[in-house]
């Protein structure tokens, strides 16, 4: 069974025991990070969008591990300009990698890098990642959107990571509706309690979700899927 480890904020490390992936490796400067960037070992880095709380330590981690960055075209080009190995993709596209399949899904959010997010980094995304026959969905930073119903109809999602922090993304009530649409077996709330404006109580989310198993992970904890 593949395992997903929550490292704080929106950062998830995924492994099937052979391959090692990390999503949105924001560790340095992350008040709730459960790992240091120097300790991350990975083959691939997947980026939902270019904001600093997602791009994070991508350059250092990619260089040290000789890892490939999977990101939308514009953000991948930004990584290539920094000397990183890239695999550009875009919304709606899927690709079979050695570790499994990645499909890019829409997210309603922004995309920018650097001071004041001044460098355009293309459309934000979420991912469907299929490994060892199991499917994980990481929505990225997003509002609730009705096409989540379509994603839920077309995919059997074993494990979903959804933001509940509000202000920049879905809050609790919208994330509860997202779970109804996506129909995952397990759901983990993310993107909350990293800084005051996104403080939320994950127990409130757990109480309101009726159709999936809610797994509240402290930074550093893992779940199998
Ligand atoms: Ni963002
Ligand atoms: Mn964010």
């Amino acid at each position: 069974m593949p395992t997903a480890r929550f490292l704080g904020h929106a950062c998830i490390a995924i492994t099937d025991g052979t391959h090692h992936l990390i999503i949105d490796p924001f560790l340095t400067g992350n008040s709730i990070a459960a790992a240091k960037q120097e300790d991350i070992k990975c083959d691939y880095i997947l980026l939902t969008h270019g904001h600093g709380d997602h791009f994070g330590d991508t350059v250092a981690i990619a260089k040290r591990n000789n890892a490939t960055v999977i990101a939308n075209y514009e953000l991948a080009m930004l990584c290539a300009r920094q000397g990183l190995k890239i695999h550009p993709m875009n919304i709606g596209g899927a690709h079979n990698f050695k570790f499994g399949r990645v499909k890019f899904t829409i997210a309603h959010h922004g995309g920018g890098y650097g001071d004041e997010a001044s460098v355009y980094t293309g459309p934000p995304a979420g991912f469907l990642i299929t490994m060892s026959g199991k499917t994980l969905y990481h929505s990225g930073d997003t509002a609730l959107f009705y096409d989540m119903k379509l994603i839920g109809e077309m995919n059997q999602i074993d494990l979903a990571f959804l933001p509940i922090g509000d202000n920049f993304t879905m809050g609790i009530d919208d994330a509860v509706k997202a779970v109804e649409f996506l129909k995952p077996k397990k759901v983990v709330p993310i993107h909350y309690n990293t800084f005051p404006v996104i403080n939320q109580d994950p127990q409130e989310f757990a109480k309101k979700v009726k159709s999936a198993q809610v797994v509240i992970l402290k930074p550093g904890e893992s779940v199998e899927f």
Side-chain angles (χ1 to χ4, degrees), residues 47-49 70-75 87-95 102-110 120-128 137-142 145 147 151:
L47 297 177
T48 59
H49 64 297
I70 301 170
N72 80 56
Y73 185 81
E74 291 84 357
L75 184 52
H87 182 106
M89 294 183 66
N90 219 324
I91 307 297
H95 184 77
V102 175
K103 184 169 185 182
F104 269 54
T105 56
I106 59 168
H108 291 299
H109 192 65
Y120 175 64
T121 55
F127 311 123
L128 287 158
Y137 174 63
H138 187 303
S139 71
D141 282 3
T142 186
F145 55 90
D147 284 9
I151 294 171

Side-chain angles (χ1 to χ4, degrees), residues 13-122:
I14 304 165
T15 185
D16 58 3
T18 306
H19 305 98
H20 298 269
L21 283 55
I22 192 165
I23 301 174
D24 289 355
F26 168 53
L27 299 170
T28 304
N30 174 352
S31 64
I32 60 168
K36 293 200 170 109
Q37 71 84 2
E38 304 93 275
D39 299 328
I40 299 298
K41 291 188 173 58
C42 64
D43 315 302
Y44 291 90
I45 299 170
L46 290 89
L47 297 177
T48 59
H49 64 297
H51 288 160
D53 59 318
H54 298 260
F55 188 89
D57 300 296
T58 291
V59 174
I61 293 171
K63 283 191 172 165
R64 199 184 60 256
N65 288 279
N66 196 27
T68 299
V69 178
I70 301 170
N72 80 56
Y73 185 81
E74 291 84 357
L75 184 52
M77 289 304 135
L78 184 146
C79 292
R81 287 197 296 277
Q82 304 207 32
L84 309 186
K85 284 201 303 192
I86 58 163
H87 182 106
M89 294 183 66
N90 219 324
I91 307 297
H95 184 77
N96 292 321
F97 294 87
K98 272 184 251 169
F99 61 80
R101 186 171 177 83
V102 175
K103 184 169 185 182
F104 269 54
T105 56
I106 59 168
H108 291 299
H109 192 65
Y113 173 80
D115 293 342
E116 300 161 349
S118 55
V119 180
Y120 175 64
T121 55

